[in-house]
Amino acid sequence: MTRSVIDPITRIEGHLRVEMEVTNGRVSDAWVSGGCFRGMELVVQDRTPEDAAQIVERICGVCPVSHAHASSIAGEKAYGITISNNARLIRNIVEGAQFLHSNILWLYNLAGLDYVNPLNALTANVADAYDVAQDMNLSMHSDFRTLKEKLAAFAANGQLSIFSGNWFDADGGTAYKLTPELDLILTAHYLEALKMQARASEVAALMGGKMPHIMTAIPGGSMFVPTESKLDDLKAMVDEIYDWVFETVLPDTLALVGAYPDVLSFGKGCGRYIAWGVFEGNGWPYNDDYIEQMQHRYLPMAVLDEDFGVSDVEESLITEYMGHSWYKGDGTYESPYFVTEPEYTDYDVEDRYSWVKCPAYDGQPMEAGSMARVFAAYRRGVPWIVENVDAVIAALGGTKGDLSIFQSTLGRTGIRQVETMYVAHLMKNVWVPELMEALASGDSECFRKAHRTTGEGTGFWEAPRGALYHSEKVENGKIKGYQIIIPSTWNLAPMNAEGVHGPLEQALLGVPVEDIDKPINALRTVHSFDPCTACAVHVTEPATGKSFETVTSPWGVK
């Protein structure tokens, strides 16, 4: 066996370490460690729910909107507020803008360089690149010849910047399999994605005052008041993003699948999924029935077992175990609970090795994320999702309705693009027109006041990375208890009390490692979960005694 450590893992948000043992060229054991304590539950203690909605956004600069909305929903449940239809639409649009920003950023600018080598594009034949793009239905918005010249100048001065510190020579130089022409095309899309993810953030900023950390989300609705001028700007930006998304993201993903079919053969994970649902449905408020509200979200709530069987969420089945994390005691707490007592000891994979707690649903580790949401929507029978997922299954050569084809590292990457397209569709064709129609009809209600100042509430919602849970206890307008379970807590969970690995740890088991110093397939698997915590990897091979550990800055420069 050999042990390999990647520490930190770059092109993610936050601080993450992955340690693996490798036996006969495959990962035989794995430990995922979150290296940063935040303690945001303690920060909001004795603050108002209105304050909390703003403060908890600072958990993450990539998905702050989701935290604001989950916190606002928790506050609304505690306060007894049902938001207006306009507030529902505004919440959906701002959340949708963040989803588009995050999904585009992740595919191209975070995970993309695990598959695309911009330096290989220097040998591309530009005329052939245009032919390849046309044959594979890849978008051609960029001037490939100009891009190649810029890349050549970029490489010649030795300052590779965002392209440095990557593993383009992993596995003896065989790990990257795209032709120079495809590398040129997808590098062009990488750069286009920088513009498109920024445009999506502009949408959020238009309605949120700024981005990241919008200022208009609040329990009771929104402080944003739509005007004709702002809605005109909104429509123009949404149309631009929609056009690029529909022309680009899915064809690019299928191109990667064609070049890397082996990456569909590993990285399954635990095979159980949770999605709390996101984007409130158009039958709002569904008689104020919380379960019904979650069932009818555009991406609905569902808990899925190993056979993709669907059940509704039961809050009391959500627990968190502390025994392998740096917190006091080794108890298992049933949600909602309001205990956060950090206690760092040492990094020891036989004992405690992470700041990430170990959540479970009905005693089992569960994967959260885009794949979980799309699976939930498919099994709930959302027509647009069913039609487009089946189309991707057909393109992959699978059997209609067989979701197992996506249970892999690259499958997890690919199915997220169905969601990206769906959100862009909803933004352009549903929510923005509905908000414009409401404004034209004279409906301007965006905020409702609280009916009480004492109560308890839970915000079941989704961030781009998966199921998001905020729960709070409020007394006379002040928070007396707060609990947060973020998506990466589910995915990066350490072992539970029975020694069962968390979802990412399970996904790493069996991953092929040819190059102990640059375990590229492990990195691809980690990135497929889009972790939200800062990161590292360590690999050991006990049979040879070889060990590898890397520390890389967040900018990818060693």
Side-chain angles (χ1 to χ4, degrees):
M1 292 186 295
T2 299
R3 184 159 293 193
S4 178
V5 175
I6 308 178
D7 186 1
I9 291 173
T10 57
R11 288 186 276 116
I12 66 162
E13 197 286 327
H15 308 274
L16 181 66
R17 169 190 174 102
V18 173
E19 182 169 351
M20 298 168 286
E21 281 190 355
V22 179
T23 305
N24 298 324
R26 291 189 177 271
V27 176
S28 53
D29 212 343
W31 302 270
V32 175
S33 174
C36 183
F37 173 70
R38 302 300 300 280
M40 199 63 72
E41 294 99 333
L42 303 178
V43 176
V44 300
Q45 193 78 6
D46 292 317
R47 305 295 292 264
T48 68
E50 292 81 2
D51 286 342
Q54 298 297 307
I55 292 169
V56 297
E57 288 193 79
R58 274 67 188 173
I59 291 172
C60 179
V62 178
C63 53
V65 174
S66 304
H67 288 285
H69 288 160
S71 182
S72 293
I73 293 169
E76 285 154 8
K77 300 303 179 184
Y79 278 164
I81 302 172
T82 299
I83 63 171
S84 68
N85 186 59
N86 283 349
R88 173 188 73 89
L89 291 169
I90 292 168
R91 186 168 289 177
N92 284 356
I93 293 169
V94 179
E95 189 72 56
Q98 180 196 248
F99 265 63
L100 292 173
H101 154 77
S102 187
N103 286 10
I104 293 168
L105 174 73
W106 165 76
L107 176 63
Y108 290 94
N109 310 125
L110 301 182
L113 294 182
D114 292 342
Y115 305 94
V116 178
N117 180 357
L119 302 182
N120 189 44
L122 296 174
T123 63
N125 181 296
V126 174
D128 288 348
Y130 280 104
D131 289 341
V132 169
Q134 187 169 13
D135 290 344
M136 299 183 68
N137 196 32
L138 304 177
S139 64
M140 295 181 283
H141 296 293
S142 297
D143 184 331
F144 295 153
R145 187 174 302 280
T146 300
L147 173 59
K148 182 182 175 183
E149 292 171 355
K150 288 181 178 179
L151 284 174
F154 193 57
N157 70 15
Q159 300 294 318
L160 298 181
S161 183
I162 56 176
F163 299 140
S164 65
N166 292 292
W167 291 351
F168 300 139
D169 59 346
D171 296 354
T174 65
Y176 284 75
K177 303 181 184 301
L178 297 183
T179 65
E181 289 72 29
L182 266 176
D183 272 321
L184 181 62
I185 295 165
L186 295 184
T187 299
H189 296 172
Y190 174 103
L191 297 172
E192 291 170 13
L194 291 173
K195 176 183 176 181
M196 287 300 112
Q197 60 86 23
R199 185 73 78 240
S201 282
E202 287 181 44
V203 173
L206 176 70
M207 304 181 77
K210 68 184 185 70
M211 180 68 181
H213 313 313
I214 64 170
M215 299 183 294
T216 56
I218 189 173
S222 175
M223 291 184 285
F224 171 75
V225 178
T227 64
E228 288 186 15
S229 175
K230 288 181 178 179
L231 290 181
D232 285 344
D233 292 342
L234 173 65
K235 183 180 186 304
M237 289 189 286
V238 167
D239 287 352
E240 180 186 7
I241 297 166
Y242 172 92
D243 290 343
W244 186 85
V245 163
F246 270 75
E247 292 177 1
T248 309
V249 298
L250 189 55
D252 285 359
T253 304
L254 293 176
L256 293 180
V257 171
Y260 296 93
D262 56 312
V263 189
L264 290 169
S265 65
F266 55 80
K268 175 181 177 180
C270 64
R272 293 177 299 274
Y273 306 92
I274 51 164
W276 304 149
V278 65
F279 307 124
E280 304 293 7
N282 61 4
W284 181 263
Y286 300 100
N287 300 312
D288 286 328
D289 184 312
Y290 202 4
I291 292 295
E292 193 171 350
Q293 289 171 357
M294 290 191 283
Q295 288 173 339
H296 287 87
R297 287 170 172 168
Y298 283 94
L299 286 169
M301 168 270 292
V303 178
L304 294 98
D305 62 23
E306 295 90 338
D307 299 317
F308 301 106
V310 173
S311 60
D312 292 335
V313 61
E314 294 183 39
E315 188 172 8
S316 62
L317 295 180
I318 301 170
T319 58
E320 285 193 301
Y321 167 67
M322 307 296 173
H324 286 297
S325 307
W326 291 311
Y327 298 90
K328 290 183 179 179
D330 58 0
T332 298
Y333 294 88
E334 178 183 306
S335 295
Y337 74 95
F338 306 117
V339 178
T340 302
E341 297 180 298
E343 185 177 63
Y344 180 79
T345 51
D346 292 307
Y347 176 82
D348 182 355
V349 297
E350 302 299 326
D351 185 18
R352 298 176 189 264
Y353 59 93
S354 182
W355 282 113
V356 178
K357 299 174 185 177
C358 181
Y361 186 86
D362 199 16
Q364 299 286 347
M366 308 292 284
E367 179 176 333
S370 181
M371 186 160 72
R373 285 191 295 270
V374 176
F375 284 171
Y378 188 96
R379 296 292 293 150
R380 293 283 194 189
V382 176
W384 196 101
I385 293 291
V386 172
E387 177 184 350
N388 285 273
V389 167
D390 281 342
V392 175
I393 292 174
L396 296 176
T399 302
K400 183 177 180 180
D402 182 10
L403 298 178
S404 66
I405 198 170
F406 297 107
Q407 292 180 307
S408 67
T409 294
L410 196 48
R412 186 178 292 108
T413 301
I415 200 170
R416 189 167 178 177
Q417 305 326 306
V418 175
E419 177 183 75
T420 305
M421 295 168 64
Y422 181 50
V423 174
H425 155 69
L426 291 171
M427 294 275 284
K428 174 182 170 64
N429 298 317
V430 182
W431 302 329
V432 172
E434 285 184 0
L435 185 59
M436 297 178 77
E437 183 179 346
L439 182 65
S441 70
D443 182 2
S444 61
E445 185 185 22
C446 298
F447 174 77
R448 291 175 178 172
K449 295 181 179 180
H451 296 294
R452 56 179 182 261
T453 58
T454 296
E456 297 185 20
T458 294
F460 285 102
W461 197 240
E462 294 278 323
R465 291 173 173 93
L468 180 59
Y469 174 96
H470 283 244
S471 189
E472 63 186 45
K473 181 179 181 179
V474 184
E475 295 179 4
N476 297 318
K478 295 295 181 69
I479 292 171
K480 298 302 178 183
Y482 207 98
Q483 182 191 4
I484 305 168
I485 305 178
I486 67 169
S488 290
T489 306
W490 289 97
N491 291 335
L492 307 182
M495 287 186 290
N496 65 18
E498 288 73 40
V500 177
H501 283 291
L504 176 53
E505 293 178 340
Q506 290 190 43
L508 286 165
L509 300 180
V511 168
V513 177
E514 180 178 327
D515 185 345
I516 196 71
D517 293 330
K518 296 177 179 178
I520 185 66
N521 285 319
L523 190 64
R524 288 166 174 159
T525 300
V526 172
H527 280 148
S528 75
F529 282 84
D530 193 11
C532 183
T533 181
C535 207
V537 177
H538 180 93
V539 186
T540 62
E541 192 170 43
T544 63
K546 290 184 68 177
S547 177
F548 163 72
E549 184 164 357
T550 182
V551 177
T552 309
S553 83
W555 297 273
V557 182
K558 292 183 178 179

